[in-house]
Amino acid sequence: MTSTDQRIRRQAAPEQAPYPWLHPTPQEHIGWDVDVLYGPWPRHHRDTGLAAVRAHLAASPVAGALALSTRGPLFDDAAGNAETLRDLAGDPRLRPVGTVDVRDALTADDRLDELAAAGVRFLRLFTVEQAAQPDFPGYRRVVRLAVERGMVLLHDGDPRRFGPPLTGYGANVVFLDLHAYLLADFLLLARDEPGFKATTRMLSGPDSIERVVDSVGPRHLVFGSRTPFMDISPQTLKLRYADIADTDRAAIATGNVEELLA
């Protein structure tokens, strides 16, 4: 074949995108990831700076994320919140998340007022790193103040332990650490709490997502990956190939979070 023939064939053939997942189909598209962190994290070997996290998300089907600096939960909640707001200002792909140190709940009013004034809708609680228990006075106070302000809680820890104390508030709570083994207890809670949701991250059972949709509906799930500490690809594929209706998939991937943002 001559060089001219080869050039004609290249021009006639449609060019393949080098990374097809950068143009996701409707079934692959993830509107919002609710579980994204950036900054130093003890004993983690990856570069977790904001630039690396942005690049990580850009190479995925995820269009937007709720994110915060790890300075808040690990070192200083006020400084961490200020850093998050400064770093993410003007970036429509990344919405800031605030936090409060539940070990110093006497300052919670100030932190929550600062976040509310900045228009922050989501509050992430780090009960594992801060060794908080559901019956601690400081934890209970932070939760009460946040719910009174209409904030959405992004909550770590075991939903079996932290879920029951959160019932009856009419609160919007997203449990970040729901494992497939704990699913039955979460479904029992969700039946009576329309605002209780969980991320898909640890629902590793072959039918975990389907079970939630069948039992309590898609409104009780959102997408969360724990970027950059976990590989995002298995999380997106798990939702992509779940045996659920496309409308349910779209609600989990995008719609449920957009309702909370509104």
Side-chain angles (χ1 to χ4, degrees), residues 92-191:
R93 286 175 54 95
L94 296 177
R95 297 290 184 92
V97 174
T99 192
V100 170
D101 191 335
V102 295
R103 297 167 297 192
D104 188 14
L106 292 174
T107 65
D109 294 87
D110 293 337
R111 297 292 82 77
L112 293 172
D113 287 343
E114 292 163 0
L115 293 170
V120 175
R121 177 89 171 107
F122 292 82
L123 182 75
R124 184 158 178 166
L125 299 181
F126 291 83
T127 62
V128 175
E129 283 73 27
Q130 296 171 4
Q133 300 293 334
D135 58 343
F136 283 11
Y139 169 81
R140 295 204 309 266
R141 184 170 191 271
V142 168
V143 167
R144 177 175 58 81
L145 293 174
V147 173
E148 287 174 355
R149 288 163 171 79
M151 302 188 80
V152 180
L153 300 180
L154 303 180
H155 205 303
D156 70 352
D158 187 338
R160 298 173 302 178
R161 296 176 59 245
F162 288 97
L166 293 167
T167 60
Y169 283 101
N172 286 305
V173 184
V174 177
F175 292 99
L176 303 172
D177 297 330
L178 176 65
H179 194 280
Y181 293 158
L182 315 180
L183 187 53
D185 284 318
F186 171 75
L187 293 176
L188 290 172
L189 289 168
R191 286 178 179 177

Side-chain angles (χ1 to χ4, degrees), residues 15-228:
E15 184 178 352
Q16 292 293 322
Y19 303 107
W21 55 87
L22 296 182
H23 304 281
T25 67
Q27 291 77 23
E28 295 164 336
H29 175 77
I30 306 291
W32 294 101
D33 184 338
V34 305
D35 191 355
V36 174
L37 301 166
Y38 70 93
W41 197 259
R43 298 177 300 279
H44 201 278
H45 66 282
R46 288 189 181 181
D47 178 2
T48 58
L50 182 55
V53 170
R54 281 187 167 124
H56 199 63
L57 291 170
S60 78
V62 176
L66 312 181
L68 81 162
S69 165
T70 58
R71 180 182 296 275
L74 297 181
F75 305 109
D76 183 318
D77 55 359
N81 290 335
E83 182 174 283
T84 300
L85 290 169
R86 182 180 66 251
D87 290 346
L88 306 188
D91 187 344
R93 286 175 54 95
L94 296 177
R95 297 290 184 92
V97 174
T99 192
V100 170
D101 191 335
V102 295
R103 297 167 297 192
D104 188 14
L106 292 174
T107 65
D109 294 87
D110 293 337
R111 297 292 82 77
L112 293 172
D113 287 343
E114 292 163 0
L115 293 170
V120 175
R121 177 89 171 107
F122 292 82
L123 182 75
R124 184 158 178 166
L125 299 181
F126 291 83
T127 62
V128 175
E129 283 73 27
Q130 296 171 4
Q133 300 293 334
D135 58 343
F136 283 11
Y139 169 81
R140 295 204 309 266
R141 184 170 191 271
V142 168
V143 167
R144 177 175 58 81
L145 293 174
V147 173
E148 287 174 355
R149 288 163 171 79
M151 302 188 80
V152 180
L153 300 180
L154 303 180
H155 205 303
D156 70 352
D158 187 338
R160 298 173 302 178
R161 296 176 59 245
F162 288 97
L166 293 167
T167 60
Y169 283 101
N172 286 305
V173 184
V174 177
F175 292 99
L176 303 172
D177 297 330
L178 176 65
H179 194 280
Y181 293 158
L182 315 180
L183 187 53
D185 284 318
F186 171 75
L187 293 176
L188 290 172
L189 289 168
R191 286 178 179 177
D192 299 321
E193 292 291 335
F196 278 17
K197 294 175 173 57
T199 68
T200 55
R201 179 174 66 91
M202 299 178 71
L203 296 182
S204 55
D207 63 346
S208 295
I209 293 175
E210 293 88 342
R211 191 176 178 192
V212 175
V213 172
D214 289 344
S215 298
V216 293
R219 66 172 292 115
H220 291 279
L221 283 179
V222 296
F223 181 84
S225 68
R226 194 64 53 91
T227 295

